[in-house]
Amino acid sequence: MDVDGKPVLQFASNDYLGLSGDRRLIEAACRAVRLYGAGATGSRLLSGEREVHRELERALAGWKGCEDCLVFSSGYLANLGTIPALVGKRDLVVGDAYNHACLRGGAELSGATHRLYPHGDCSALERLLIEQRDRHRRCLICTDSVFSMDGDLVDLARIADLARRYGCMLLVDEAHATGVLGPTGAGAVEQLGLTRSLVQMGTLSKALGSQGGYVCGSAELVDYLRNRARGFVYTTGLAPATAAAALEAVHIARTETSRRALLRQNIARLRAGIDKIGIAQLPSAAAILCLRVGDIEATRRFAGELFDAGIFAPSIRPPTVPTSRIRLSLMATHSEAMIDSLIAALTKVSSRFS
Ligand SMILES: Cc1ncc(COP(=O)(O)O)c(C=O)c1O
């Protein structure tokens, strides 16, 4: 891509499968614009419902192994709408300390007691449940599956077991796992073979290359949210073009397994290159790789020097994250030569930082 006239290689995009610019998505969006016009023009509950919305919801539900699905105008709005519909003042929300801002925002908006446990610490989660569960009516556990600023995978099987034992609902945010993990790319829930009834949330804006968010689950849950989630009821429906592009993307992500294989190859190639250079990496299980290169100032300079070397990979620093890092995200459409250019740039820049 081009930044202010300088050509750089993009290593910061969430477009993990490289679908955003895919000809088939673009054509699907154009057909939908011609058929439906540019906008949905109203709430889905009033005048904004189009057949493409339900087609997309059926496709997502089938992919995720759920009875039904509800599509929101963004992933952010999906969490902000869903959590307050499920819990209120007499309830408890328990979440990982590194959860995405919209999971935290949804919990705060709900008025429920909101407790965070240290990142990835399931023993601390259980201690919280022992201490707090009985004092509340309902309990909702919320977690990212793949964490957005680290790239690591949560121990979802253990959390699902805790949810079952302590009588809690479990909402899993699959924003960075959808399209990337699992045999058909349905996410971490598919990869782990979880069957317990879950609230599976995600976004259409990352590996699916479009825009919007969704919640998949039981027919009863989806019917309830359709009428109770304020972020669905009181906002204009997703634009038909973005819904149509996302529908095409679900089909491609599900069936073109070669894309996921290419992504995995790229991840392995980069990881091997970084290991060889000896830069410390944070644990990662998906397409996000984070490098520790020093304190806030060093990390900022490192990103600047990478940019000068033709690589776009931002530094992520406190307060967004507890410790500074360079966050790299990989795409199926990166070529081996692009990955090698990144490795060469990292080798050059890191030699000046040791
Ligand atoms: C984990 C996680 N959840 C939710 C979202 C929000 O999704 P959207 O960009 O569709 O609003 C994001 C995106 O930034 C995310 O990283």
Side-chain angles (χ1 to χ4, degrees):
M1 67 176 192
D2 225 73
V3 178
D4 296 335
K6 179 181 166 63
V8 286
L9 292 174
Q10 159 75 286
F11 284 100
S13 173
N14 298 316
D15 186 12
Y16 302 123
L17 296 178
L19 288 178
S20 180
D22 189 280
R23 174 185 46 79
R24 293 163 291 180
L25 268 71
I26 293 169
E27 279 167 11
C30 290
R31 278 196 304 274
V33 167
R34 282 189 210 101
L35 185 63
Y36 297 112
T41 74
S43 164
R44 297 250 322 263
L45 288 187
L46 291 174
S47 58
E49 177 98 0
R50 304 288 177 269
E51 183 49 32
V52 66
H53 292 126
R54 283 304 287 154
E55 277 178 54
L56 173 59
E57 287 167 347
R58 281 192 290 270
L60 283 163
W63 192 25
K64 299 274 177 173
C66 295
E67 287 174 357
D68 207 348
C69 169
L70 192 65
V71 168
F72 292 73
S73 300
S74 76
Y76 202 98
L77 211 48
N79 277 334
L80 240 49
T82 298
I83 297 171
L86 295 178
V87 286
K89 282 200 175 60
R90 294 162 57 199
D91 303 323
L92 173 68
V93 179
V94 189
D96 189 290
Y98 285 12
N99 272 353
H100 191 265
C102 54
L103 286 171
R104 288 156 168 259
E108 283 158 19
L109 206 59
S110 73
T113 303
H114 185 203
R115 293 275 185 274
L116 296 176
Y117 53 92
H119 177 51
D121 187 343
C122 291
S123 303
L125 165 59
E126 180 158 20
R127 282 196 297 278
L128 256 175
L129 293 174
I130 290 169
E131 186 194 305
Q132 294 276 336
R133 176 65 189 99
D134 286 347
R135 299 189 203 161
H136 298 87
R137 182 184 56 168
R138 294 185 208 129
C139 174
L140 174 68
I141 302 174
C142 294
T143 184
D144 291 17
S145 56
V146 170
F147 286 86
S148 57
M149 288 298 137
D150 292 66
D152 57 332
L153 179 64
V154 79
D155 186 349
L156 211 48
R158 175 126 185 246
I159 295 179
D161 182 54
L162 289 174
R164 182 187 54 77
R165 284 176 28 221
Y166 290 88
C168 308
M169 297 175 279
L170 174 56
L171 187 157
V172 182
D173 183 332
E174 293 263 60
H176 295 274
T178 300
V180 176
L181 298 182
T184 72
V189 170
E190 182 190 39
Q191 175 159 295
L192 297 168
L194 292 183
T195 50
R196 183 187 183 276
S197 76
L198 301 164
V199 183
Q200 295 185 52
M201 174 275 161
T203 173
L204 307 172
S205 68
K206 301 190 193 297
L208 297 174
S210 182
Q211 187 124 19
Y214 62 84
V215 173
C216 291
S218 68
E220 191 182 14
L221 170 82
V222 170
D223 192 45
Y224 176 76
L225 292 178
R226 190 178 288 120
N227 295 289
R228 294 295 286 274
R230 297 171 75 86
F232 176 81
V233 176
Y234 297 106
T235 190
T236 300
L238 191 63
T242 49
L247 176 61
E248 188 66 30
V250 170
H251 175 68
I252 298 170
R254 195 173 177 173
T255 54
E256 274 182 16
T257 50
S258 57
R259 282 186 179 259
R260 243 176 322 283
L262 282 173
L263 180 61
R264 273 198 299 274
Q265 277 170 28
N266 284 342
I267 296 167
R269 191 175 187 90
L270 177 59
R271 208 177 264 150
I274 296 170
D275 283 346
K276 209 158 157 201
I277 306 168
I279 308 176
Q281 295 174 54
L282 297 180
S284 159
I288 301 162
L289 294 180
C290 290
L291 312 180
R292 284 185 203 269
V293 295
D295 61 12
I296 294 180
E297 188 43 33
T299 310
R300 199 188 56 74
R301 275 195 298 116
F302 198 104
E305 293 199 20
L306 277 180
F307 185 79
D308 293 341
I311 300 295
F312 185 75
S315 62
I316 313 285
R317 291 160 287 159
T320 305
V321 287
T323 55
S324 302
R325 78 267 330 248
I326 299 289
R327 180 181 183 271
L328 301 164
S329 50
L330 292 173
M331 297 165 61
T333 43
H334 282 132
S335 63
E336 285 185 353
M338 289 173 180
I339 306 289
D340 291 346
S341 299
L342 170 59
I343 294 168
L346 287 169
T347 307
K348 186 170 124 200
V349 173
S350 67
S351 69
R352 288 206 283 274
F353 278 72
S354 43

